[in-house]
Amino acid sequence: MVIVSIAPFAPRRILVLAAAFFALSVANCFANSLLFSAKRTPFDHQMARIQPMLSTPVPSRHRDLSLLLVNHWIGQLRAIPYRYCVEWKTPSELAHEPTGDCKGKAVALYQRMRENGARDVRLVIGRRAPTSRSTHAWVEWTTESATYILDPTINWAAQRVNEIADNSYVPYYAYTGNRRYRAAAARSLYARL
């Protein structure tokens, strides 16, 4: 005779299991990246050229940037014709040349935002879509109300992260100031920097 228990798990274990399933189901709702500090990235050699722009000091007096102004800057950079460049262009070089790529446009936007008081801003390298053949660069900006993807190569305005398709903008690495980060699995959770 085989005896089968109606409650094979202790109530405490059932509660823990239910909590774990709930946490995993809610995790995708955050739709952002979990960033881990990294000592090195595969892009460090290339990034050395633009490190001074990444370290642009934020003014001591805090100024709230308007989304309208940020969208104006994105539009200005988006209007620059695209042309791939092996080297990362500085914002000064981008301003004096007729073309630019995603790297140059993202760095120029990052620097302009830092100069104008943006505090929670990151330069991101990743893939525009999981099926993209090459990497892409954009800026992420976190405000009190939302996190935005700022892509002056493809978009004319900022996009809220929670309004972007789950398979778009897959981050690999992020940079802010002298710090570098490695992104965890595609936008599962977000750690504010």
Side-chain angles (χ1 to χ4, degrees):
M1 171 178 229
V2 176
I3 299 175
V4 178
S5 172
I6 294 175
F9 296 105
R12 184 178 292 160
R13 286 187 179 169
I14 292 172
L15 183 60
V16 170
L17 185 62
F21 279 122
F22 176 76
L24 290 173
S25 67
V26 172
N28 285 336
C29 296
F30 293 105
N32 289 310
S33 304
L34 180 59
L35 301 175
F36 296 102
S37 186
K39 291 183 180 180
R40 282 181 241 108
T41 75
F43 298 94
D44 288 349
H45 179 68
Q46 298 169 18
M47 300 297 281
R49 187 168 199 281
I50 60 150
Q51 186 57 49
M53 281 100 256
L54 294 176
S55 300
T56 299
V58 176
S60 58
R61 56 184 163 76
H62 181 67
R63 175 180 159 197
D64 288 331
L65 286 178
S66 76
L67 195 54
L68 187 63
L69 180 59
V70 172
N71 285 337
H72 176 71
W73 294 334
I74 291 171
Q76 287 178 325
L77 291 166
R78 173 69 174 85
I80 297 171
Y82 181 87
R83 184 170 186 190
Y84 176 76
C85 180
V86 174
E87 269 189 334
W88 287 69
K89 287 185 181 180
T90 65
S92 175
E93 291 169 336
L94 185 67
H96 293 95
E97 294 183 23
T99 62
D101 65 4
C102 63
K103 302 181 303 282
K105 292 178 181 189
V107 170
L109 181 60
Y110 175 93
Q111 183 183 33
R112 190 173 293 173
M113 292 188 67
R114 292 277 297 213
E115 288 172 340
N116 285 278
R119 299 201 182 279
D120 224 350
V121 63
R122 294 159 298 289
L123 178 71
V124 181
I125 299 173
R127 301 241 185 235
R128 172 69 174 82
T131 57
S132 299
R133 291 180 176 241
S134 59
T135 56
H136 185 59
W138 66 90
V139 175
E140 280 189 14
W141 177 41
T142 301
T143 66
E144 289 180 10
S145 60
T147 296
Y148 296 93
I149 298 270
L150 313 175
D151 185 351
T153 305
I154 296 174
N155 303 320
W156 288 95
Q159 293 183 297
R160 286 180 183 248
V161 168
N162 62 350
E163 295 172 353
I164 294 175
D166 283 340
N167 62 350
S168 296
Y169 294 98
V170 181
Y172 292 159
Y173 299 98
Y175 304 84
T176 183
N178 291 322
R179 298 181 305 191
R180 31 180 109 81
Y181 300 90
R182 178 181 52 81
R187 298 187 308 163
S188 55
L189 290 172
Y190 189 75
R192 283 186 68 138
L193 303 177

